[in-house]
Amino acid sequence: GLASKGELDLLALLLKHGLDPESTDRKGWSAFLVAAASGDLEAVDVLAPYANVSVIPVCLSQTSFTDCKLSLW
């Protein structure tokens, strides 16, 4: 998908114009879940306002997002 290919600007534009953020792949994974599972915080940031979930970043470091994990509600 666009999120996994680094096409975040295009993804944001498509979401803004009605792309269904809840659509899933053959395995039942949405783009948001793929981004969260892979730790892609930039894609999660783009997708979160459109996804039907709450996201809480859990960071081991206060100075870097590289040590963050995502907790989904």
Coordinates of all heavy atoms in Angstrom, one line a residue:
G1 N 0.8 -1.2 0.0 CA 0.0 0.0 0.0 C 0.8 1.3 0.0 O 2.1 1.2 0.1
L2 N 0.2 2.4 -0.1 CA 0.9 3.6 -0.1 C 1.7 3.9 1.1 O 2.8 4.5 1.0 CB -0.1 4.8 -0.4 CG -0.9 4.8 -1.7 CD1 -2.0 5.8 -1.7 CD2 0.1 5.0 -2.8
A3 N 1.1 3.6 2.3 CA 1.8 3.8 3.5 C 3.2 3.1 3.6 O 4.2 3.6 4.0 CB 1.0 3.5 4.7
S4 N 3.1 1.8 3.2 CA 4.3 1.0 3.2 C 5.4 1.4 2.2 O 6.5 1.1 2.3 CB 4.0 -0.5 3.1 OG 3.5 -0.7 1.8
K5 N 5.0 2.1 1.1 CA 5.9 2.6 0.1 C 6.4 4.0 0.3 O 7.0 4.5 -0.5 CB 5.2 2.5 -1.3 CG 4.9 1.1 -1.7 CD 4.2 1.0 -3.0 CE 3.8 -0.4 -3.3 NZ 3.0 -0.5 -4.6
G6 N 6.0 4.6 1.4 CA 6.5 6.0 1.7 C 5.8 7.1 1.0 O 6.2 8.2 0.9
E7 N 4.6 6.8 0.4 CA 3.9 7.7 -0.3 C 2.9 8.4 0.6 O 1.6 8.5 0.3 CB 3.1 7.1 -1.5 CG 4.0 6.4 -2.5 CD 4.8 7.4 -3.4 OE1 4.4 8.6 -3.4 OE2 5.8 7.0 -4.0
L8 N 3.4 9.0 1.7 CA 2.5 9.6 2.7 C 1.7 10.8 2.2 O 0.5 11.0 2.6 CB 3.3 9.9 3.9 CG 3.9 8.7 4.6 CD1 4.7 9.1 5.8 CD2 2.9 7.6 4.9
D9 N 2.3 11.7 1.4 CA 1.6 12.8 0.9 C 0.4 12.4 0.0 O -0.7 13.0 0.1 CB 2.5 13.7 0.1 CG 3.6 14.4 0.9 OD1 3.3 14.6 2.1 OD2 4.6 14.8 0.4
L10 N 0.6 11.4 -0.9 CA -0.5 10.9 -1.7 C -1.5 10.2 -0.8 O -2.7 10.4 -1.1 CB 0.1 9.9 -2.7 CG -1.0 9.3 -3.7 CD1 -1.8 10.4 -4.4 CD2 -0.3 8.3 -4.6
L11 N -1.1 9.5 0.2 CA -2.1 8.8 1.1 C -2.9 9.9 1.8 O -4.1 9.7 1.8 CB -1.3 8.0 2.1 CG -2.2 7.3 3.1 CD1 -3.2 6.3 2.5 CD2 -1.3 6.6 4.1
A12 N -2.3 10.9 2.3 CA -3.0 12.0 3.0 C -4.1 12.6 2.0 O -5.2 12.9 2.4 CB -2.1 13.0 3.5
L13 N -3.7 12.9 0.8 CA -4.5 13.5 -0.2 C -5.7 12.6 -0.5 O -6.9 13.0 -0.5 CB -3.8 13.8 -1.5 CG -4.6 14.5 -2.6 CD1 -5.0 15.8 -2.2 CD2 -3.8 14.5 -3.8
L14 N -5.5 11.3 -0.7 CA -6.6 10.4 -1.0 C -7.5 10.2 0.2 O -8.7 10.2 0.1 CB -6.0 9.0 -1.4 CG -5.3 9.0 -2.7 CD1 -4.6 7.6 -2.9 CD2 -6.2 9.3 -3.8
L15 N -7.0 10.2 1.4 CA -7.8 10.1 2.6 C -8.7 11.4 2.7 O -9.9 11.3 3.1 CB -7.0 10.0 3.9 CG -6.3 8.6 4.1 CD1 -5.2 8.7 5.1 CD2 -7.4 7.6 4.5
K16 N -8.1 12.5 2.5 CA -8.9 13.8 2.5 C -10.0 13.8 1.5 O -11.0 14.4 1.8 CB -7.9 14.9 2.2 CG -8.4 16.3 2.5 CD -7.3 17.3 2.3 CE -7.6 18.6 2.8 NZ -6.6 19.6 2.7
H17 N -9.9 13.1 0.4 CA -10.9 13.0 -0.6 C -11.7 11.8 -0.6 O -12.3 11.4 -1.6 CB -10.2 13.2 -2.0 CG -9.7 14.7 -2.2 ND1 -10.5 15.7 -2.5 CD2 -8.5 15.2 -2.0 CE1 -9.8 16.8 -2.5 NE2 -8.6 16.5 -2.2
G18 N -11.7 11.1 0.5 CA -12.7 10.0 0.7 C -12.2 8.6 0.6 O -13.0 7.6 0.6
L19 N -10.9 8.3 0.5 CA -10.4 7.0 0.5 C -10.8 6.3 1.8 O -10.7 6.9 2.9 CB -8.9 6.9 0.5 CG -8.2 5.6 0.6 CD1 -8.5 4.8 -0.7 CD2 -6.7 5.7 0.8
D20 N -11.4 5.1 1.7 CA -11.9 4.4 2.9 C -10.7 3.9 3.7 O -10.0 2.9 3.3 CB -12.8 3.2 2.5 CG -13.3 2.4 3.7 OD1 -13.1 2.9 4.8 OD2 -13.9 1.4 3.4
P21 N -10.4 4.4 4.9 CA -9.3 4.0 5.7 C -9.5 2.6 6.4 O -8.6 2.0 6.9 CB -9.2 5.1 6.8 CG -10.6 5.6 7.0 CD -11.2 5.5 5.6
E22 N -10.7 2.1 6.3 CA -11.0 0.8 7.0 C -11.0 -0.3 6.0 O -11.2 -1.5 6.3 CB -12.4 0.9 7.6 CG -12.6 2.0 8.6 CD -11.7 1.8 9.8 OE1 -11.4 0.7 10.2 OE2 -11.3 2.8 10.4
S23 N -10.7 0.0 4.7 CA -10.5 -1.1 3.7 C -9.3 -2.0 4.1 O -8.4 -1.5 4.7 CB -10.4 -0.6 2.3 OG -9.2 0.2 2.2
T24 N -9.4 -3.3 3.8 CA -8.4 -4.2 4.2 C -7.8 -5.0 3.0 O -8.4 -5.0 2.0 CB -9.0 -5.2 5.2 OG1 -10.1 -5.9 4.6 CG2 -9.5 -4.5 6.5
D25 N -6.7 -5.6 3.3 CA -6.1 -6.4 2.3 C -6.7 -7.8 2.4 O -7.6 -8.1 3.2 CB -4.5 -6.4 2.4 CG -4.1 -7.0 3.8 OD1 -4.9 -7.6 4.5 OD2 -2.9 -6.8 4.1
R26 N -6.1 -8.8 1.7 CA -6.6 -10.1 1.6 C -6.5 -10.8 3.0 O -7.3 -11.7 3.3 CB -5.9 -11.0 0.6 CG -6.2 -10.6 -0.8 CD -5.4 -11.4 -1.7 NE -4.0 -11.1 -1.5 CZ -2.9 -11.4 -2.3 NH1 -3.2 -12.1 -3.3 NH2 -1.7 -11.1 -2.0
K27 N -5.7 -10.4 3.8 CA -5.5 -10.9 5.2 C -6.3 -10.3 6.2 O -6.3 -10.6 7.4 CB -4.0 -10.9 5.6 CG -3.1 -11.7 4.7 CD -1.7 -11.5 5.1 CE -0.8 -12.3 4.2 NZ 0.7 -12.1 4.5
G28 N -7.1 -9.2 5.8 CA -7.9 -8.5 6.8 C -7.3 -7.4 7.5 O -7.8 -6.8 8.5
W29 N -6.1 -6.9 7.1 CA -5.4 -5.9 7.7 C -5.6 -4.5 7.0 O -5.5 -4.4 5.8 CB -3.9 -6.2 7.6 CG -3.4 -7.2 8.6 CD1 -3.8 -8.5 8.5 CD2 -2.5 -7.1 9.6 NE1 -3.1 -9.2 9.6 CE2 -2.3 -8.3 10.3 CE3 -1.8 -6.0 10.2 CZ2 -1.5 -8.5 11.4 CZ3 -1.0 -6.2 11.3 CH2 -0.9 -7.4 11.8
S30 N -6.0 -3.5 7.8 CA -6.1 -2.2 7.2 C -4.7 -1.5 7.1 O -3.8 -2.0 7.7 CB -7.0 -1.3 8.1 OG -6.3 -1.1 9.4
A31 N -4.6 -0.5 6.4 CA -3.3 0.3 6.2 C -2.9 0.7 7.6 O -1.7 0.7 7.9 CB -3.5 1.4 5.3
F32 N -3.8 1.2 8.4 CA -3.4 1.6 9.8 C -2.8 0.5 10.6 O -1.8 0.7 11.2 CB -4.6 2.2 10.5 CG -4.3 2.7 11.9 CD1 -3.8 4.0 12.1 CD2 -4.4 1.9 13.0 CE1 -3.5 4.4 13.3 CE2 -4.0 2.3 14.2 CZ -3.6 3.6 14.4
L33 N -3.4 -0.7 10.6 CA -2.9 -1.8 11.3 C -1.5 -2.2 10.8 O -0.6 -2.6 11.6 CB -3.8 -3.0 11.3 CG -5.1 -2.8 12.2 CD1 -6.0 -4.0 12.0 CD2 -4.8 -2.5 13.6
V34 N -1.3 -2.2 9.5 CA 0.0 -2.5 8.9 C 1.0 -1.5 9.4 O 2.1 -1.9 9.8 CB -0.1 -2.6 7.4 CG1 1.3 -2.7 6.8 CG2 -1.0 -3.7 6.9
A35 N 0.7 -0.3 9.3 CA 1.6 0.8 9.7 C 2.0 0.7 11.2 O 3.1 0.8 11.6 CB 1.1 2.2 9.4
A36 N 1.0 0.4 12.0 CA 1.2 0.3 13.5 C 2.0 -0.9 13.8 O 3.0 -0.9 14.6 CB -0.1 0.2 14.2
A37 N 1.7 -2.0 13.2 CA 2.4 -3.3 13.4 C 3.9 -3.2 13.0 O 4.8 -3.8 13.6 CB 1.8 -4.5 12.7
S38 N 4.2 -2.4 12.0 CA 5.5 -2.3 11.5 C 6.3 -1.1 12.2 O 7.5 -0.9 11.9 CB 5.6 -2.1 10.0 OG 5.0 -0.9 9.6
G39 N 5.6 -0.4 13.1 CA 6.2 0.7 13.8 C 6.4 1.9 12.9 O 7.3 2.8 13.2
D40 N 5.7 2.1 11.8 CA 5.8 3.2 10.9 C 5.0 4.4 11.5 O 3.9 4.6 11.2 CB 5.3 2.9 9.5 CG 5.6 4.0 8.5 OD1 5.9 5.1 8.9 OD2 5.5 3.7 7.3
L41 N 5.7 5.2 12.4 CA 5.0 6.3 13.1 C 4.5 7.4 12.2 O 3.5 8.0 12.5 CB 5.9 6.8 14.2 CG 6.3 5.9 15.3 CD1 7.2 6.5 16.3 CD2 5.0 5.3 16.0
E42 N 5.2 7.6 11.1 CA 4.8 8.7 10.2 C 3.5 8.3 9.5 O 2.6 9.1 9.4 CB 5.9 9.0 9.1 CG 7.1 9.7 9.7 CD 8.2 9.9 8.7 OE1 8.3 9.0 7.8 OE2 8.9 10.9 8.8
A43 N 3.4 7.0 9.1 CA 2.1 6.5 8.4 C 1.0 6.5 9.4 O -0.1 6.8 9.1 CB 2.4 5.2 7.8
V44 N 1.3 6.1 10.6 CA 0.3 6.1 11.7 C -0.3 7.5 11.9 O -1.5 7.7 12.1 CB 0.8 5.5 13.0 CG1 -0.1 5.7 14.2 CG2 1.1 4.0 12.9
D45 N 0.6 8.5 11.9 CA 0.2 9.8 12.1 C -0.7 10.3 11.0 O -1.7 11.0 11.3 CB 1.5 10.7 12.2 CG 1.2 12.1 12.7 OD1 0.4 12.3 13.6 OD2 1.7 13.1 12.1
V46 N -0.5 9.9 9.8 CA -1.3 10.3 8.7 C -2.7 9.6 8.8 O -3.7 10.1 8.5 CB -0.6 10.0 7.3 CG1 -1.6 10.1 6.2 CG2 0.6 10.9 7.1
L47 N -2.6 8.3 9.1 CA -3.9 7.5 9.1 C -4.7 7.6 10.3 O -5.9 7.4 10.3 CB -3.5 6.0 8.9 CG -2.9 5.6 7.6 CD1 -2.1 4.3 7.7 CD2 -4.0 5.4 6.6
A48 N -4.1 7.9 11.5 CA -4.9 7.9 12.8 C -6.1 8.8 12.8 O -7.2 8.3 13.3 CB -4.0 8.3 13.9
P49 N -6.1 10.0 12.2 CA -7.3 10.8 12.2 C -8.5 10.2 11.5 O -9.7 10.5 11.7 CB -6.9 12.1 11.6 CG -5.5 12.2 11.7 CD -5.0 10.7 11.7
Y50 N -8.2 9.3 10.6 CA -9.2 8.6 9.7 C -9.6 7.2 10.2 O -10.6 6.7 9.7 CB -8.8 8.6 8.3 CG -8.5 9.9 7.7 CD1 -7.2 10.5 7.7 CD2 -9.5 10.7 7.1 CE1 -6.9 11.7 7.2 CE2 -9.2 12.0 6.6 CZ -7.9 12.5 6.7 OH -7.6 13.7 6.2
A51 N -8.8 6.6 11.0 CA -9.0 5.2 11.4 C -9.9 5.2 12.7 O -10.0 6.2 13.4 CB -7.7 4.6 11.8
N52 N -10.6 4.1 12.8 CA -11.5 3.9 13.9 C -10.8 3.3 15.1 O -11.2 2.2 15.6 CB -12.7 3.1 13.4 CG -13.8 3.1 14.4 OD1 -13.9 3.9 15.3 ND2 -14.7 2.1 14.4
V53 N -9.7 3.9 15.6 CA -9.0 3.4 16.7 C -8.4 4.6 17.5 O -8.3 5.7 16.9 CB -7.8 2.5 16.3 CG1 -8.3 1.2 15.7 CG2 -6.8 3.2 15.4
S54 N -8.0 4.4 18.7 CA -7.2 5.4 19.4 C -5.8 4.9 19.5 O -5.6 3.7 19.7 CB -7.8 5.6 20.8 OG -9.1 6.1 20.7
V55 N -4.8 5.8 19.4 CA -3.4 5.4 19.4 C -2.7 6.1 20.6 O -2.9 7.3 20.8 CB -2.7 5.8 18.1 CG1 -1.3 5.4 18.1 CG2 -3.5 5.2 16.9
I56 N -2.0 5.3 21.3 CA -1.1 5.9 22.4 C 0.3 5.4 22.1 O 0.6 4.3 22.2 CB -1.6 5.4 23.8 CG1 -3.1 5.8 24.0 CG2 -0.7 5.9 24.8 CD1 -3.7 5.2 25.2
P57 N 1.2 6.4 21.8 CA 2.6 6.0 21.7 C 3.2 5.7 23.0 O 3.0 6.5 24.0 CB 3.3 7.2 21.0 CG 2.4 8.3 21.3 CD 1.0 7.8 21.5
V58 N 3.9 4.6 23.1 CA 4.6 4.3 24.4 C 6.1 4.3 24.1 O 6.6 3.5 23.3 CB 4.2 2.8 24.8 CG1 4.9 2.4 26.1 CG2 2.6 2.8 25.0
C59 N 6.7 5.3 24.6 CA 8.1 5.6 24.3 C 9.0 5.2 25.5 O 8.8 5.5 26.6 CB 8.3 7.0 23.9 SG 7.3 7.5 22.5
L60 N 10.1 4.6 25.1 CA 11.2 4.2 26.1 C 12.1 5.4 26.3 O 12.8 5.5 27.3 CB 11.9 3.0 25.7 CG 11.1 1.8 25.4 CD1 12.0 0.6 24.9 CD2 10.4 1.3 26.7
S61 N 12.1 6.3 25.3 CA 13.0 7.5 25.4 C 12.2 8.7 25.3 O 11.3 8.8 24.5 CB 14.1 7.4 24.3 OG 14.7 8.7 24.2
Q62 N 12.5 9.7 26.0 CA 11.8 11.0 25.9 C 12.3 11.9 24.8 O 11.7 12.9 24.5 CB 11.8 11.8 27.3 CG 11.2 11.0 28.4 CD 9.7 10.8 28.2 OE1 9.0 11.7 27.7 NE2 9.2 9.7 28.6
T63 N 13.4 11.5 24.2 CA 14.1 12.4 23.2 C 14.0 11.9 21.8 O 14.3 12.6 20.9 CB 15.6 12.6 23.6 OG1 16.2 11.3 23.6 CG2 15.7 13.3 24.9
S64 N 13.5 10.6 21.6 CA 13.5 10.1 20.3 C 12.3 9.1 20.1 O 11.9 8.4 21.1 CB 14.8 9.2 20.1 OG 14.7 8.5 18.9
F65 N 11.7 9.2 19.0 CA 10.6 8.3 18.7 C 11.1 6.9 18.2 O 10.3 6.0 17.9 CB 9.6 8.9 17.6 CG 8.8 10.0 18.2 CD1 8.9 11.3 17.9 CD2 7.8 9.6 19.1 CE1 8.1 12.3 18.4 CE2 7.0 10.6 19.7 CZ 7.1 11.9 19.3
T66 N 12.4 6.7 18.1 CA 12.9 5.5 17.5 C 12.6 4.3 18.5 O 12.6 3.2 18.1 CB 14.4 5.6 17.2 OG1 15.1 5.9 18.4 CG2 14.7 6.6 16.1
D67 N 12.4 4.6 19.7 CA 12.2 3.6 20.7 C 10.7 3.5 21.1 O 10.4 3.0 22.2 CB 13.0 3.8 22.0 CG 14.5 3.7 21.7 OD1 14.9 2.9 20.9 OD2 15.3 4.4 22.4
C68 N 9.8 3.9 20.3 CA 8.4 3.9 20.6 C 7.7 2.7 20.1 O 8.1 2.1 19.0 CB 7.7 5.1 19.9 SG 8.2 6.7 20.7
K69 N 6.7 2.3 20.8 CA 5.8 1.3 20.3 C 4.4 1.9 20.4 O 4.2 2.9 21.0 CB 5.9 0.0 21.2 CG 7.3 -0.6 21.2 CD 7.2 -2.0 21.8 CE 8.6 -2.6 21.9 NZ 9.4 -2.6 20.7
L70 N 3.5 1.3 19.7 CA 2.1 1.8 19.7 C 1.2 0.9 20.4 O 1.2 -0.3 20.3 CB 1.6 2.0 18.3 CG 2.5 2.9 17.4 CD1 2.1 2.9 16.0 CD2 2.4 4.4 17.9
S71 N 0.4 1.5 21.3 CA -0.7 0.8 22.0 C -2.0 1.2 21.4 O -2.3 2.4 21.3 CB -0.6 1.1 23.5 OG -1.7 0.5 24.1
L72 N -2.7 0.2 20.8 CA -4.0 0.5 20.2 C -5.2 0.2 21.1 O -5.2 -0.9 21.8 CB -4.1 -0.4 18.9 CG -3.0 -0.3 17.9 CD1 -3.3 -1.2 16.8 CD2 -2.9 1.1 17.4
W73 N -6.1 1.0 21.1 CA -7.3 0.8 22.0 C -8.5 0.5 21.1 O -8.7 1.1 20.1 CB -7.7 2.1 22.8 CG -6.6 2.4 23.8 CD1 -5.5 3.0 23.7 CD2 -6.7 2.0 25.2 NE1 -4.8 3.0 24.8 CE2 -5.5 2.4 25.8 CE3 -7.6 1.3 25.9 CZ2 -5.3 2.2 27.1 CZ3 -7.4 1.1 27.3 CH2 -6.2 1.6 27.9

